Amino acid sequence: MSMKERPAFPARVQGVGERPKPRPVATAIAQPQGIGLDSGAVRQRMVDKLMGLGVRDPAVLEAMASVERHRFVDSALANQAYEDTSLPIGLGQTISKPSVVARMAELLRNGSSDKLGRVLEIGTGCGYQAAVLSQLSSEVYSMERLRGLHDKARANLRTLFLRNVHLLFGDGMLGFPQGAPYAGIIAAAGGEAIPPAWIEQLAVGGRLVAPVAGSGGAGQQVLMVVDKTPQGLRQTVLEAVHFVPLKSGFA
Ligand code: SAH
Protein backbone atom coordinates (compact mmCIF):
# COMPACT_ATOMS: atom_id res chain seq x y z
CA MET A 1 0.00 0.00 0.00
CA SER A 2 1.38 3.37 -0.96
CA MET A 3 1.76 6.09 1.67
CA LYS A 4 -1.12 8.00 0.10
CA GLU A 5 -3.49 5.13 0.73
CA ARG A 6 -2.31 4.57 4.24
CA PRO A 7 -5.46 3.86 6.25
CA ALA A 8 -6.45 5.60 9.43
CA PHE A 9 -5.33 3.74 12.53
CA PRO A 10 -6.86 1.49 13.74
CA ALA A 11 -7.30 0.33 10.17
CA ARG A 12 -10.84 -0.07 9.00
CA VAL A 13 -11.70 -2.86 6.60
CA GLN A 14 -12.49 -1.38 3.24
CA GLY A 15 -15.83 -2.54 1.77
CA VAL A 16 -15.94 -4.06 -1.71
CA GLY A 17 -15.71 -1.33 -4.30
CA GLU A 18 -15.20 1.33 -1.57
CA ARG A 19 -12.37 3.66 -2.40
CA PRO A 20 -10.07 4.77 0.38
CA LYS A 21 -10.84 8.35 1.34
CA PRO A 22 -8.01 10.68 0.35
CA ARG A 23 -6.39 12.15 3.42
CA PRO A 24 -3.45 14.42 3.98
CA VAL A 25 -0.42 12.18 4.49
CA ALA A 26 1.13 14.36 7.16
CA THR A 27 -2.04 14.22 9.25
CA ALA A 28 -2.42 10.49 8.82
CA ILE A 29 1.11 9.85 10.02
CA ALA A 30 1.35 12.45 12.75
CA GLN A 31 -1.88 11.73 14.63
CA PRO A 32 -2.02 8.68 16.86
CA GLN A 33 -5.81 8.38 16.88
CA GLY A 34 -8.28 7.23 14.24
CA ILE A 35 -8.86 10.59 12.64
CA GLY A 36 -6.41 13.48 12.38
CA LEU A 37 -7.23 16.43 14.63
CA ASP A 38 -7.32 18.67 11.57
CA SER A 39 -10.22 16.67 10.19
CA GLY A 40 -13.70 18.15 10.64
CA ALA A 41 -14.88 14.66 11.59
CA VAL A 42 -13.39 14.82 15.10
CA ARG A 43 -15.22 18.06 15.77
CA GLN A 44 -18.43 16.70 14.27
CA ARG A 45 -18.21 13.80 16.73
CA MET A 46 -17.88 16.32 19.54
CA VAL A 47 -20.86 18.26 18.15
CA ASP A 48 -22.92 15.06 18.04
CA LYS A 49 -22.14 14.57 21.72
CA LEU A 50 -23.11 18.17 22.45
CA MET A 51 -26.45 17.58 20.73
CA GLY A 52 -26.88 14.49 22.90
CA LEU A 53 -26.34 16.74 25.93
CA GLY A 54 -29.15 19.01 24.77
CA VAL A 55 -27.41 21.80 22.82
CA ARG A 56 -29.86 22.74 20.05
CA ASP A 57 -28.90 26.17 18.69
CA PRO A 58 -27.67 25.55 15.12
CA ALA A 59 -25.40 28.61 15.14
CA VAL A 60 -23.69 27.39 18.33
CA LEU A 61 -23.28 23.87 16.94
CA GLU A 62 -21.81 25.30 13.76
CA ALA A 63 -19.35 27.46 15.69
CA MET A 64 -18.31 24.48 17.84
CA ALA A 65 -17.81 22.46 14.65
CA SER A 66 -15.63 25.11 13.06
CA VAL A 67 -13.22 26.20 15.83
CA GLU A 68 -10.27 23.83 16.20
CA ARG A 69 -10.01 23.39 19.96
CA HIS A 70 -6.77 21.39 19.70
CA ARG A 71 -4.98 24.55 18.54
CA PHE A 72 -5.66 26.16 21.91
CA VAL A 73 -4.11 23.53 24.18
CA ASP A 74 -0.59 22.31 24.74
CA SER A 75 0.44 19.81 22.06
CA ALA A 76 0.83 17.12 24.75
CA LEU A 77 -2.91 17.48 25.50
CA ALA A 78 -4.09 17.93 21.90
CA ASN A 79 -5.38 14.37 21.63
CA GLN A 80 -7.83 15.12 24.49
CA ALA A 81 -9.03 18.36 22.91
CA TYR A 82 -12.33 16.96 21.63
CA GLU A 83 -13.27 15.18 24.83
CA ASP A 84 -15.77 16.93 27.02
CA THR A 85 -13.25 17.92 29.61
CA SER A 86 -11.55 21.05 30.87
CA LEU A 87 -7.78 21.02 30.39
CA PRO A 88 -4.90 22.97 31.99
CA ILE A 89 -3.69 25.99 29.99
CA GLY A 90 -0.98 27.17 32.40
CA LEU A 91 -0.84 29.56 35.37
CA GLY A 92 -3.31 27.35 37.24
CA GLN A 93 -6.13 28.09 34.77
CA THR A 94 -8.18 25.80 32.52
CA ILE A 95 -9.91 25.87 29.16
CA SER A 96 -13.63 25.30 29.80
CA LYS A 97 -15.32 22.05 28.74
CA PRO A 98 -16.86 22.18 25.25
CA SER A 99 -20.30 21.44 26.71
CA VAL A 100 -19.98 24.43 29.06
CA VAL A 101 -18.81 26.77 26.27
CA ALA A 102 -21.71 25.61 24.09
CA ARG A 103 -24.26 25.86 26.90
CA MET A 104 -23.20 29.40 27.81
CA ALA A 105 -23.13 30.53 24.17
CA GLU A 106 -26.60 29.10 23.70
CA LEU A 107 -27.86 30.93 26.76
CA LEU A 108 -26.21 34.15 25.58
CA ARG A 109 -27.90 33.93 22.18
CA ASN A 110 -31.25 33.15 23.78
CA GLY A 111 -32.69 31.57 20.64
CA SER A 112 -32.03 34.59 18.43
CA SER A 113 -31.83 34.00 14.70
CA ASP A 114 -29.43 36.93 14.29
CA LYS A 115 -25.82 37.36 15.28
CA LEU A 116 -25.29 39.08 18.60
CA GLY A 117 -23.88 42.60 18.59
CA ARG A 118 -20.89 43.43 20.80
CA VAL A 119 -20.00 40.83 23.40
CA LEU A 120 -17.71 41.18 26.42
CA GLU A 121 -15.94 38.06 27.65
CA ILE A 122 -14.25 38.05 31.04
CA GLY A 123 -11.45 35.49 31.25
CA THR A 124 -9.82 35.05 27.83
CA GLY A 125 -7.66 32.16 29.03
CA CYS A 126 -6.28 30.50 25.92
CA GLY A 127 -8.76 32.31 23.65
CA TYR A 128 -10.88 29.31 22.66
CA GLN A 129 -14.23 30.67 23.80
CA ALA A 130 -13.40 34.06 22.25
CA ALA A 131 -12.92 32.27 18.91
CA VAL A 132 -16.27 30.51 19.31
CA LEU A 133 -17.97 33.81 20.22
CA SER A 134 -16.39 35.51 17.22
CA GLN A 135 -18.59 33.31 15.01
CA LEU A 136 -21.71 34.33 16.90
CA SER A 137 -21.32 38.07 17.40
CA SER A 138 -20.27 41.20 15.55
CA GLU A 139 -17.41 42.09 17.95
CA VAL A 140 -15.84 40.27 20.89
CA TYR A 141 -13.99 42.17 23.62
CA SER A 142 -12.19 39.60 25.73
CA MET A 143 -10.38 40.51 28.96
CA GLU A 144 -7.71 38.57 30.80
CA ARG A 145 -5.98 39.52 34.06
CA LEU A 146 -2.90 37.30 33.61
CA ARG A 147 -0.37 38.66 31.15
CA GLY A 148 0.97 35.18 30.34
CA LEU A 149 -2.45 33.97 29.21
CA HIS A 150 -3.31 37.19 27.40
CA ASP A 151 -0.11 36.70 25.37
CA LYS A 152 -0.87 33.02 24.84
CA ALA A 153 -4.36 33.82 23.53
CA ARG A 154 -2.90 36.42 21.22
CA ALA A 155 -0.50 33.82 19.80
CA ASN A 156 -3.26 31.19 19.50
CA LEU A 157 -5.63 33.56 17.72
CA ARG A 158 -3.06 35.22 15.46
CA THR A 159 -3.19 32.55 12.77
CA LEU A 160 -7.00 32.53 12.72
CA PHE A 161 -7.24 36.17 11.58
CA LEU A 162 -10.41 36.83 13.52
CA ARG A 163 -10.75 40.54 12.90
CA ASN A 164 -13.67 40.96 15.28
CA VAL A 165 -11.84 39.69 18.40
CA HIS A 166 -10.22 42.34 20.59
CA LEU A 167 -7.99 40.99 23.36
CA LEU A 168 -7.62 43.24 26.39
CA PHE A 169 -5.22 42.87 29.28
CA GLY A 170 -6.74 44.07 32.54
CA ASP A 171 -9.13 43.43 35.40
CA GLY A 172 -12.37 42.18 33.88
CA MET A 173 -14.26 42.92 37.09
CA LEU A 174 -14.25 46.53 35.90
CA GLY A 175 -15.53 45.55 32.47
CA PHE A 176 -14.48 47.59 29.44
CA PRO A 177 -16.61 50.75 29.33
CA GLN A 178 -15.16 51.84 25.97
CA GLY A 179 -16.99 48.96 24.24
CA ALA A 180 -20.28 49.34 26.15
CA PRO A 181 -23.17 48.84 25.90
CA TYR A 182 -22.86 45.09 25.25
CA ALA A 183 -25.53 42.86 23.80
CA GLY A 184 -23.98 40.04 25.80
CA ILE A 185 -21.53 39.57 28.66
CA ILE A 186 -20.08 36.16 29.46
CA ALA A 187 -17.70 35.27 32.28
CA ALA A 188 -15.41 32.24 32.42
CA ALA A 189 -14.53 32.81 36.10
CA GLY A 190 -16.85 32.96 39.09
CA GLY A 191 -16.91 35.43 42.00
CA GLU A 192 -19.04 36.02 45.11
CA ALA A 193 -21.42 38.27 43.18
CA ILE A 194 -21.87 39.78 39.72
CA PRO A 195 -19.67 42.93 39.57
CA PRO A 196 -21.82 46.10 39.23
CA ALA A 197 -19.73 47.29 36.23
CA TRP A 198 -21.00 44.35 34.17
CA ILE A 199 -24.63 45.24 34.81
CA GLU A 200 -23.90 48.90 34.01
CA GLN A 201 -22.21 47.98 30.74
CA LEU A 202 -24.96 45.61 29.62
CA ALA A 203 -27.35 47.06 27.01
CA VAL A 204 -31.04 47.20 27.70
CA GLY A 205 -32.26 44.01 26.01
CA GLY A 206 -28.85 42.44 26.66
CA ARG A 207 -28.05 39.28 28.57
CA LEU A 208 -25.26 38.32 30.96
CA VAL A 209 -24.24 34.70 31.62
CA ALA A 210 -21.81 34.06 34.46
CA PRO A 211 -20.93 31.62 37.22
CA VAL A 212 -21.42 33.01 40.71
CA ALA A 213 -21.11 31.66 44.25
CA GLY A 214 -24.16 29.59 45.20
CA SER A 215 -26.03 29.84 48.48
CA GLY A 216 -24.50 26.58 49.70
CA GLY A 217 -21.07 28.18 50.40
CA ALA A 218 -17.89 26.07 50.30
CA GLY A 219 -16.84 27.31 46.86
CA GLN A 220 -20.01 25.99 45.27
CA GLN A 221 -21.08 27.89 42.12
CA VAL A 222 -24.20 28.20 40.01
CA LEU A 223 -24.73 29.52 36.51
CA MET A 224 -26.58 32.82 36.55
CA VAL A 225 -28.38 34.58 33.71
CA VAL A 226 -29.23 38.27 34.06
CA ASP A 227 -31.50 39.94 31.51
CA LYS A 228 -31.55 43.72 31.44
CA THR A 229 -35.07 44.61 30.38
CA PRO A 230 -36.71 48.04 30.06
CA GLN A 231 -38.53 47.10 33.30
CA GLY A 232 -35.35 46.23 35.16
CA LEU A 233 -33.15 43.20 35.84
CA ARG A 234 -34.38 39.63 35.68
CA GLN A 235 -32.14 37.02 37.27
CA THR A 236 -32.33 33.30 36.64
CA VAL A 237 -30.29 30.77 38.59
CA LEU A 238 -29.45 27.62 36.65
CA GLU A 239 -27.39 24.49 37.27
CA ALA A 240 -24.34 24.04 39.50
CA VAL A 241 -21.05 24.68 37.69
CA HIS A 242 -17.36 24.68 38.46
CA PHE A 243 -15.21 27.56 37.21
CA VAL A 244 -11.88 29.03 38.29
CA PRO A 245 -12.22 31.98 40.69
CA LEU A 246 -12.81 35.52 39.47
CA LYS A 247 -9.98 37.59 40.94
CA SER A 248 -9.52 41.33 41.05
CA GLY A 249 -6.45 43.18 39.79
CA PHE A 250 -4.02 41.87 37.22
CA ALA A 251 -0.66 40.15 37.21
N1 SAH B 1 -12.64 31.27 28.17
C1 SAH B 1 -11.39 30.67 28.54
C2 SAH B 1 -11.45 30.08 29.93
C3 SAH B 1 -10.29 30.48 30.75
S1 SAH B 1 -10.41 30.15 32.48
C4 SAH B 1 -10.91 29.68 27.48
O1 SAH B 1 -11.63 29.46 26.50
O2 SAH B 1 -9.81 29.18 27.62
C5 SAH B 1 -10.89 31.71 33.11
C6 SAH B 1 -9.91 32.83 33.00
O3 SAH B 1 -10.44 33.93 33.72
C7 SAH B 1 -8.52 32.58 33.57
O4 SAH B 1 -7.57 32.70 32.57
C8 SAH B 1 -8.37 33.68 34.63
O5 SAH B 1 -7.06 34.21 34.71
C9 SAH B 1 -9.35 34.71 34.15
N2 SAH B 1 -9.81 35.69 35.14
C10 SAH B 1 -10.11 35.50 36.44
N3 SAH B 1 -10.48 36.68 37.00
C11 SAH B 1 -10.40 37.63 36.02
C12 SAH B 1 -10.62 39.04 35.97
N4 SAH B 1 -11.00 39.74 37.05
N5 SAH B 1 -10.43 39.67 34.80
C13 SAH B 1 -10.03 39.00 33.69
N6 SAH B 1 -9.79 37.68 33.68
C14 SAH B 1 -9.97 37.00 34.82
Side-chain angles (χ1 to χ4, degrees), residues 145-201:
R145 66 178 291 276
L146 297 176
R147 169 69 76 181
L149 287 175
H150 168 77
D151 290 344
K152 187 179 256 189
R154 194 167 287 290
N156 288 341
L157 291 168
R158 186 168 292 131
T159 53
L160 302 183
F161 303 107
L162 302 173
R163 293 182 179 280
N164 63 341
V165 177
H166 312 282
L167 298 182
L168 307 160
F169 171 59
D171 182 0
M173 285 181 80
L174 307 174
F176 181 63
Q178 294 89 326
Y182 297 102
I185 298 183
I186 189 164
E192 285 303 308
I194 304 287
W198 299 358
I199 302 292
E200 277 158 30
Q201 293 171 26

Side-chain angles (χ1 to χ4, degrees), residues 4-189:
K4 275 201 180 114
E5 288 170 353
R6 190 186 164 99
F9 180 82
R12 265 175 276 129
V13 177
Q14 218 72 51
V16 180
E18 202 181 320
R19 289 170 61 83
K21 287 210 182 91
R23 37 190 293 107
V25 176
T27 312
I29 295 169
Q31 304 300 338
Q33 58 272 86
I35 308 171
L37 295 174
D38 290 322
S39 155
V42 275
R43 271 177 303 289
Q44 193 51 51
R45 243 176 8 210
M46 176 186 83
V47 166
D48 292 345
K49 279 191 226 153
L50 294 175
M51 288 170 80
L53 291 169
V55 180
R56 289 284 172 268
D57 186 329
V60 171
L61 294 168
E62 206 176 298
M64 298 299 293
S66 74
V67 180
E68 299 187 326
R69 191 170 184 257
H70 69 278
R71 301 203 178 275
F72 291 84
V73 297
D74 204 86
S75 55
L77 298 170
N79 61 354
Q80 293 177 61
Y82 297 104
E83 289 168 23
D84 195 23
T85 176
S86 55
L87 294 168
I89 53 173
L91 302 176
Q93 309 302 317
T94 53
I95 180 172
S96 308
K97 280 185 188 195
S99 60
V100 168
V101 172
R103 165 87 170 134
M104 290 178 81
E106 187 168 59
L107 285 168
L108 200 67
R109 277 175 44 78
N110 196 17
S112 165
S113 51
D114 300 325
K115 267 198 177 181
L116 286 162
R118 287 195 298 274
V119 166
L120 175 67
E121 179 192 39
I122 291 93
T124 313
C126 62
Y128 172 70
Q129 182 169 263
V132 171
L133 292 171
S134 81
Q135 313 294 303
L136 303 170
S137 43
S138 65
E139 304 290 330
V140 180
Y141 294 86
S142 181
M143 302 189 72
E144 174 55 57
R145 66 178 291 276
L146 297 176
R147 169 69 76 181
L149 287 175
H150 168 77
D151 290 344
K152 187 179 256 189
R154 194 167 287 290
N156 288 341
L157 291 168
R158 186 168 292 131
T159 53
L160 302 183
F161 303 107
L162 302 173
R163 293 182 179 280
N164 63 341
V165 177
H166 312 282
L167 298 182
L168 307 160
F169 171 59
D171 182 0
M173 285 181 80
L174 307 174
F176 181 63
Q178 294 89 326
Y182 297 102
I185 298 183
I186 189 164

